[in-house]
Amino acid sequence: MSEFTNPNLEVLIPTEEITKRISELGAEIARDYAGRNPLLIAVLKGACLFLSDLMRAADIPLNVEFIAISSYGAEMRTSGEVRILKDLDVAIEGRHILVVEDIVDTGLTLSYLLANLKSRGAESVKLAALLDKFERREKEVPIDYLGFKIPDKFVVGYGLDFAERYRNLPFIAVLKNPEEAQLGLPMKTSDIQHFETGH
Ligand code: IMP
């Protein structure tokens, strides 16, 4: 069964549009950061695909780091408190930082992360986000390099997941029926059967 043509997915942003927009963003970044050797910090895991295309579109010397964060839980999310699961491997004092994130939703995660990175003495901290779900914003987060504004819908693909699935889609899609998508991996044969006949 093909994952990419799964009937539970409705394509929102096709691959060609993503590729085109990211090459524009890469060119902008290359121009803005020329001679400044920026450090791109990608937020795991969702930003991986965005990072890999963005860095190849930015023809300047740059470095890459990864950080993994998670929200504490329902009550703590409102305060914007997040937990760092995997921290940077290098000091960032005096560096020009470009955070690379998949999506800005409420903005709570990013506003925490950007403040945290600034507090470590970075020379500058900017944000590149592939998607902006602007209608849900609770905390203002300036997005310096934005791929696309999207409506308030749950999206998957191009790094974004639903229960760890769909990150490998080469496009951004809306899940038509999230309940059907909840089948986690590894799937049992009986689950796959159920999924295929579920429409
Ligand atoms: P925020 O703190 O509400 O802005 O949360 C941002 C994080 O929530 C993103 O990095 C994603 O991991 C996750 N997220 C928000 N909206 C979506 C979505 O539509 N699909 C998949 N993940 C999402």
Side-chain angles (χ1 to χ4, degrees):
M1 182 184 136
S2 159
E3 180 78 324
F4 298 170
T5 58
N6 186 323
N8 195 20
L9 302 172
E10 187 187 323
V11 177
L12 183 68
I13 311 173
T15 309
E16 308 72 52
E17 269 184 53
I18 298 174
T19 309
K20 181 169 171 284
R21 185 69 192 120
I22 294 180
S23 61
E24 290 168 359
L25 293 178
E28 257 182 74
I29 288 166
R31 194 191 58 218
D32 295 351
Y33 283 93
R36 293 201 288 164
N37 187 29
L39 175 62
L40 272 53
I41 298 180
V43 183
L44 294 171
K45 306 172 189 169
C48 274
L49 273 71
F50 182 34
L51 172 77
S52 78
D53 284 344
L54 189 66
M55 64 193 282
R56 281 179 290 180
D59 185 7
I60 49 166
L62 56 76
N63 305 129
V64 175
E65 275 287 319
F66 295 93
I67 194 164
I69 50 188
S70 92
S71 303
Y72 269 106
E75 319 92 30
M76 308 271 313
R77 275 183 69 84
T78 48
S79 69
E81 193 127 354
V82 299
R83 193 157 48 112
I84 294 181
L85 300 177
K86 184 234 168 279
D87 208 345
L88 305 173
D89 294 329
V90 297
I92 59 167
E93 207 177 333
R95 296 295 306 268
H96 292 286
I97 304 300
L98 180 61
V99 174
V100 179
E101 176 62 307
D102 51 3
I103 185 167
V104 184
D105 186 18
T106 63
L108 296 173
T109 310
L110 258 303
S111 76
Y112 168 85
L113 181 62
L114 296 174
N116 177 293
L117 296 175
K118 278 176 195 153
S119 76
R120 302 188 198 192
E123 176 73 25
S124 68
V125 180
K126 289 192 172 189
L127 172 64
L130 181 65
L131 304 173
D132 179 9
K133 226 193 256 183
F134 59 98
E135 289 162 299
R136 282 177 43 88
R137 197 71 88 256
E138 290 176 32
K139 270 229 159 120
E140 215 34 65
V141 174
I143 304 177
D144 302 282
Y145 304 94
L146 173 66
F148 304 91
K149 278 188 193 292
I150 61 163
D152 181 11
K153 293 195 169 152
F154 195 84
V155 293
V156 294
Y158 201 77
L160 288 120
D161 75 308
F162 179 74
E164 291 301 324
R165 185 174 171 179
Y166 299 117
R167 292 192 196 276
N168 57 330
L169 303 179
F171 49 82
I172 302 283
V174 175
L175 274 182
K176 290 187 202 163
N177 184 354
E179 273 162 37
E180 281 183 33
Q182 209 147 17
L183 302 171
L185 292 177
M187 281 199 264
K188 298 194 291 280
T189 314
S190 55
D191 285 337
I192 294 167
Q193 223 85 45
H194 169 75
F195 188 72
E196 280 177 343
T197 55
H199 297 274

